[in-house]
């Protein structure tokens, strides 16, 4: 179609993440072919993509300049992996997070790839070196980790294996920006990538404060959603330091000792596991307002807010 870009994108695995990538690429004008080993799931995914795009259009969340009908028309399905990959310049793998499965799928895709094809994995924990070693096209493979829900949270962590072609990483970064995502590039593999390292630091301190009985679970979460989170939606912890003094060097001069004392006094060693007793206490507290059978409702509530914030951010960034 005249509104579609040159080139086709292959999405391997049609679950939550595969559907999100499909909608993101179609919104940017790319032809998308979606593949799954489970045919019923593939059909459900196709139906869900259509209705979700229509819903986003009604709510004013649809990406791109075309209509939901036009975007949906760019998404096709295939019951064959080689047909899905055929002529694709970019492949986004979205199968379940299981090392043996990723190995199997990448080995299979390797036999269908060519020297120009980019093969990215959505993996949230596994590094590309764990499942691409020894493959013919391993220098074209990397991790491109999205954040749930990727349609509204644009961050994508690009994590190359030691043998990934650096120029290719740059091309993926440009592609991610072009389709409206927000890429970051790790220079080498590191467990947890970047987001989870920051997230675990936040979870650990939240856990420690709750465990010591300092404040309620609700109040701990409020520190983020009515405090730090508002700031972090626009500037990160490092820029916060820069702006809260006359530059970050001045900040360190003024506050580093205080920060060190707080951490020395309060931080605990890395928890082996989050303990069941504390977990049950937090869950009991949450059950007052968010019982387990109401979590789906609460997730929709969350997604609606994420969608609104994402819309607001886009408006503000245009200013
Ligand atoms: P999911 O379970 O919703 O979807 C996985 C899909 O892959 C299923 O439809 C399944 O039928 C299909 N599949 C299984 N074996 C296959 C094969 N050999 N070939 C093709 N398709 C196959 O999983 P989800 O949540 O979409 O996760 C996919 C990947 O994205 C995982 O690596 C996960 O860690 C990562 N991820 C997930 C996030 C999340 O919040 N759910 C966030 C960021 C990344």
């Amino acid at each position: 179609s005249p509104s579609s870009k040159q080139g086709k994108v292959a999405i391997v695995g049609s679950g939550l993440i595969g559907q999100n990538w499909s909608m993101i690429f179609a919104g940017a004008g790319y032809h998308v072919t979606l593949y799954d080993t489970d045919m019923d799931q593939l059909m459900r995914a196709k139906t869900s993509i259509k209705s979700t795009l229509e819903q986003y259009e009604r709510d004013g969340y649809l990406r791109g300049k075309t209509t939901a009908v036009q975007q949906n028309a760019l998404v096709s399905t295939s019951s064959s992996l080689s047909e899905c990959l055929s002529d694709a310049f970019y492949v986004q793998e979205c199968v379940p997070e299981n090392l043996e499965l990723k190995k199997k799928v990448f080995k299979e895709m390797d036999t269908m790839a060519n020297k120009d094809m980019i093969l990215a994995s959505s993996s949230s924990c596994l590094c590309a070196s764990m499942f691409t070693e020894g493959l013919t096209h391993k220098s074209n493979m990397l991790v491109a980790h999205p954040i749930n829900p990727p349609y509204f949270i644009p961050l994508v962590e690009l994590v190359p294996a030691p043998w990934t072609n650096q120029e290719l990483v740059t091309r993926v970064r440009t592609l991610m920006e072009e389709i409206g995502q927000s890429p970051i590039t790790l220079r080498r593999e590191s467990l947890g990538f970047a987001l989870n390292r920051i997230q675990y630091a936040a979870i650990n301190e939240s856990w420690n404060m709750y465990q010591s009985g300092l404040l309620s679970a609700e109040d701990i979460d409020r520190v983020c959603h009515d405090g730090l989170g508002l700031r972090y939606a626009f500037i990160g912890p490092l820029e916060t330091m820069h702006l809260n003094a006359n530059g970050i060097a001045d900040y360190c001069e003024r506050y580093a000792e205080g920060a060190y004392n707080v951490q020395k006094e309060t931080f605990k060693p890395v928890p082996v596991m989050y303990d069941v007793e504390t977990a049950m206490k937090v869950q009991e507290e949450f059950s007052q307002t968010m019982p387990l059978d109401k979590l789906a409702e609460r997730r929709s509530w969350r997604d609606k807010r994420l969608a609104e914030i994402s819309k607001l951010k886009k408006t503000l960034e245009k200013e």
Side-chain angles (χ1 to χ4, degrees), residues 258-319:
Y260 176 78
N261 289 337
V262 169
Q263 293 171 73
K264 206 170 84 162
E265 178 74 22
T266 63
F267 278 23
K268 297 230 175 79
V270 179
V272 179
M273 285 287 169
Y274 302 118
D275 65 292
V276 179
E277 197 190 323
T278 307
M280 291 318 291
K281 270 202 219 154
V282 176
Q283 187 157 311
E284 212 169 281
E285 192 182 321
F286 280 161
S287 294
Q288 316 286 321
T289 50
M290 288 178 279
L292 296 184
D293 62 349
K294 292 273 185 325
L295 292 191
E297 246 169 70
R298 185 70 174 173
R299 284 189 197 105
S300 309
W301 176 94
R302 173 199 66 187
D303 290 350
K304 164 110 178 103
R305 273 151 188 79
L306 286 172
E308 289 293 338
I309 287 182
S310 140
K311 199 160 115 182
L312 175 64
K313 270 181 69 106
K314 280 191 190 124
T315 314
L316 292 171
E317 274 155 21
K318 277 189 209 120
E319 283 171 5

Side-chain angles (χ1 to χ4, degrees), residues 5 60 118 187 191 287:
K5 297 241 169 64
I118 301 168
R187 298 205 176 88
L191 274 186
S287 294

Side-chain angles (χ1 to χ4, degrees), residues 38-178:
D38 177 342
M39 287 309 109
D40 292 338
Q41 167 59 25
L42 192 57
M43 291 309 108
R44 276 198 300 276
K46 183 74 183 98
T47 310
S48 166
I49 286 172
K50 180 172 185 286
S51 62
T52 305
L53 288 172
E54 285 165 358
Q55 184 65 48
Y56 288 169
E57 187 170 56
R58 283 195 293 277
D59 294 338
Y61 303 149
L62 192 71
R63 291 181 172 213
K65 295 190 172 64
T66 52
T67 65
V69 169
Q70 288 170 317
Q71 294 182 19
N72 183 58
L74 293 174
V75 182
S76 56
T77 57
S78 173
S79 57
S80 138
L81 181 60
S82 67
E83 187 184 271
C84 172
L85 262 57
S86 160
D87 296 328
F89 76 98
Y90 183 83
V91 182
Q92 184 78 41
E93 168 274 311
C94 313
V95 306
E97 188 83 351
N98 170 309
L99 182 57
E100 289 316 308
L101 182 61
K102 301 263 185 209
K103 274 187 186 165
K104 176 174 164 274
V105 170
F106 270 83
K107 197 173 165 191
E108 227 176 319
M109 295 195 298
D110 190 42
T111 66
M112 303 160 182
N114 59 56
K115 67 174 180 30
D116 299 317
M117 190 184 279
I118 301 168
L119 297 109
S121 171
S122 301
S123 168
S124 22
C125 303
L126 304 167
C127 291
S129 64
M130 300 173 182
F131 51 83
T132 66
E133 191 173 7
L135 300 183
T136 308
H137 301 96
K138 66 179 182 181
S139 63
N140 293 14
M141 298 170 177
L142 77 165
V143 164
H145 172 231
I147 317 305
N148 194 39
Y151 201 86
F152 300 118
I153 302 190
L155 188 77
V156 179
E157 299 187 285
L158 303 180
V159 192
W163 45 74
T164 307
N165 176 345
Q166 284 300 326
E167 185 269 329
L168 179 127
V169 180
T170 309
R171 266 192 284 148
V172 177
R173 187 170 172 121
T174 306
L175 174 68
M176 288 298 139
E177 271 162 6
E178 198 235 313

